[in-house]
């Protein structure tokens, strides 16, 4: 049984509240395809490999965290951008993308799902005074080394730890993706450790001098989970066929 694309978009807008965020890209429908959806594909990024897998599967729509039309990117539809859009349009596959709204949702978002999978309790916003903040902080009593082992088992890649593996942690802050600058907010929140996807040169110095453990577990690896949760929720709501397509990225 098919579901109108408009019904899916309405549920996503109501659930993820994209209008509440100042973002770097348009959230919602980015490329329009078929008016009815039976098969919904999901992925972290709408790269060509994920597009090809979704199209081969027969997807009517693809829902991703990293879509297109970012602020500051070149406007001409040439090269890689032309190939991606041609694949979507020629196969009438809709592209739906939600960036910060998918990071921030309190139960289905990237941060929420990573926290749930790691067993972090008493979760709260990292910056409660900032309505646009997407980080979290919570309780998890574990050594830094054990936390890295948990992340390795979860993501399938070795996280980078700045700090002592033997240190006991009690309060952990985290924000998936490229959120290394949130380490300052983690320090203010009294966290013993901060988890994100990427690391910058200056992050190492902040971690060492502020005495906070820093863990870079991979941008792609930490953002696999929200889009799957949203896809599964849509599949249940509208009786859709859903499949997650992962194209691994070491960054």
């Amino acid at each position: 049984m098919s579901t109108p694309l408009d019904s899916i978009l309405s549920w996503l807008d109501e659930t993820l509240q994209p209008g509440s965020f100042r973002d770097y890209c348009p959230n919602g429908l980015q490329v329009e395809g078929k008016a009815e959806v039976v098969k919904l594909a999901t992925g972290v990024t709408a790269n060509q490999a994920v597009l090809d897998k979704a199209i081969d599967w027969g997807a009517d729509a693809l829902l991703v965290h990293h879509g297109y039309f970012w602020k500051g990117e070149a406007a001409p539809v040439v090269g890689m951008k032309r190939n991606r859009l041609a694949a979507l349009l020629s196969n009438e596959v809709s592209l739906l993308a939600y960036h910060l709204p998918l990071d921030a949702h309190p139960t289905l978002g990237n941060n929420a799902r990573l926290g749930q999978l790691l067993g972090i309790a008493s979760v709260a916003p990292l910056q409660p005074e900032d309505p646009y903040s997407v980080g979290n902080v919570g309780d998890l009593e574990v050594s830094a080394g054990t936390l890295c082992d948990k992340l390795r088992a979860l993501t399938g890649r070795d996280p980078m730890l700045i700090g002592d593996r033997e240190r006991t942690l009690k309060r952990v802050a985290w924000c998936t993706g490229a959120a290394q600058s949130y380490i300052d907010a983690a320090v203010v929140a009294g966290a013993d450790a901060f988890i994100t996807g990427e690391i910058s040169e200056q992050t190492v110095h902040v971690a060492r001098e502020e005495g906070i453990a820093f863990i870079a577990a991979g941008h792609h690896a930490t953002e696999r989970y929200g889009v799957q949760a949203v896809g599964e929720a849509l599949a249940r709501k509208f009786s859709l066929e859903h499949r997650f397509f992962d194209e691994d990225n070491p960054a």
Side-chain angles (χ1 to χ4, degrees), residues 44 110 113-115 117-118 146-160 174 176-177 195-198 215-225 228 244 246-251:
V44 177
N110 285 321
R113 288 296 297 133
L114 185 63
L117 291 166
L118 290 174
T146 298
L147 180 54
C148 286
D149 292 342
K150 282 176 172 278
L151 283 162
R152 182 183 299 107
L154 179 63
T155 64
R157 56 167 292 159
D158 290 326
M160 178 183 292
W174 74 102
T176 62
I195 306 166
T196 188
E198 297 186 15
I215 302 173
H219 190 142
H220 176 92
T222 57
E223 294 192 326
R224 285 189 181 116
Y225 310 106
Q228 292 183 68
F244 173 70
D246 192 28
E247 182 65 24
D248 191 40
N249 185 331

Side-chain angles (χ1 to χ4, degrees), residues 84-112:
R84 290 176 173 185
L85 292 174
L88 289 165
L89 291 168
S90 63
N91 290 280
E92 292 190 275
V93 176
S94 296
L95 178 66
L96 291 62
Y98 294 87
H99 185 231
L100 293 182
L102 187 55
D103 284 320
H105 192 274
T107 57
L108 301 175
N110 285 321
N111 289 322

Side-chain angles (χ1 to χ4, degrees), residues 34 36-41 50-62 91-94 241-243 245:
K34 300 183 185 75
E36 299 284 325
V37 177
V38 175
K39 289 187 171 185
L40 173 69
V50 168
L51 295 183
D52 291 343
K53 291 176 183 178
I55 290 166
D56 287 346
W57 180 58
D60 304 302
L62 171 63
N91 290 280
E92 292 190 275
V93 176
S94 296
E241 294 182 53
H242 168 236
R243 185 173 296 180
F245 293 98

Side-chain angles (χ1 to χ4, degrees), residues 17-34:
Q17 296 290 309
S20 301
F21 296 87
R22 295 178 298 196
D23 215 334
Y24 318 105
C25 60
N27 288 295
L29 181 63
Q30 292 191 338
V31 178
E32 184 177 7
K34 300 183 185 75

Side-chain angles (χ1 to χ4, degrees), residues 9-249:
L9 291 169
S10 294
W11 184 91
L12 286 165
D13 284 346
E14 181 179 351
T15 302
L16 299 180
Q17 296 290 309
S20 301
F21 296 87
R22 295 178 298 196
D23 215 334
Y24 318 105
C25 60
N27 288 295
L29 181 63
Q30 292 191 338
V31 178
E32 184 177 7
K34 300 183 185 75
E36 299 284 325
V37 177
V38 175
K39 289 187 171 185
L40 173 69
T42 56
V44 177
T45 301
N47 57 58
Q48 191 67 54
V50 168
L51 295 183
D52 291 343
K53 291 176 183 178
I55 290 166
D56 287 346
W57 180 58
D60 304 302
L62 171 63
L63 171 66
V64 298
H65 181 47
H66 300 135
Y68 303 154
F69 314 117
W70 298 90
K71 289 181 181 178
E73 75 174 29
V77 180
V78 297
M80 180 180 75
K81 182 185 287 187
R82 182 262 178 204
N83 294 337
R84 290 176 173 185
L85 292 174
L88 289 165
L89 291 168
S90 63
N91 290 280
E92 292 190 275
V93 176
S94 296
L95 178 66
L96 291 62
Y98 294 87
H99 185 231
L100 293 182
L102 187 55
D103 284 320
H105 192 274
T107 57
L108 301 175
N110 285 321
N111 289 322
R113 288 296 297 133
L114 185 63
Q116 292 161 15
L117 291 166
L118 290 174
I120 301 174
S122 302
V123 174
L126 181 57
Q127 296 172 298
E129 75 287 351
D130 183 354
Y132 299 106
S133 178
V134 296
N136 291 100
V137 63
D139 298 333
L140 182 67
E141 187 162 353
V142 66
S143 72
T146 298
L147 180 54
C148 286
D149 292 342
K150 282 176 172 278
L151 283 162
R152 182 183 299 107
L154 179 63
T155 64
R157 56 167 292 159
D158 290 326
M160 178 183 292
L161 169 65
I162 306 302
D164 181 2
R165 283 184 58 89
E166 301 306 316
R167 178 179 177 179
T168 298
L169 311 174
K170 293 187 177 180
R171 191 157 176 79
V172 175
W174 74 102
C175 189
T176 62
Q180 55 267 51
S181 64
Y182 276 53
I183 190 173
D184 296 321
V187 171
V188 172
D192 303 309
F194 178 61
I195 306 166
T196 188
E198 297 186 15
I199 187 168
S200 298
E201 193 272 347
Q202 66 268 25
T203 314
V204 176
H205 305 301
V206 175
R208 288 172 176 169
E209 293 174 37
E210 293 286 2
I212 184 172
F214 178 84
I215 302 173
H219 190 142
H220 176 92
T222 57
E223 294 192 326
R224 285 189 181 116
Y225 310 106
V227 72
Q228 292 183 68
V230 172
E232 289 163 4
L234 281 166
R236 291 191 298 270
K237 173 70 176 178
F238 296 107
S239 299
L240 301 172
E241 294 182 53
H242 168 236
R243 185 173 296 180
F244 173 70
F245 293 98
D246 192 28
E247 182 65 24
D248 191 40
N249 185 331

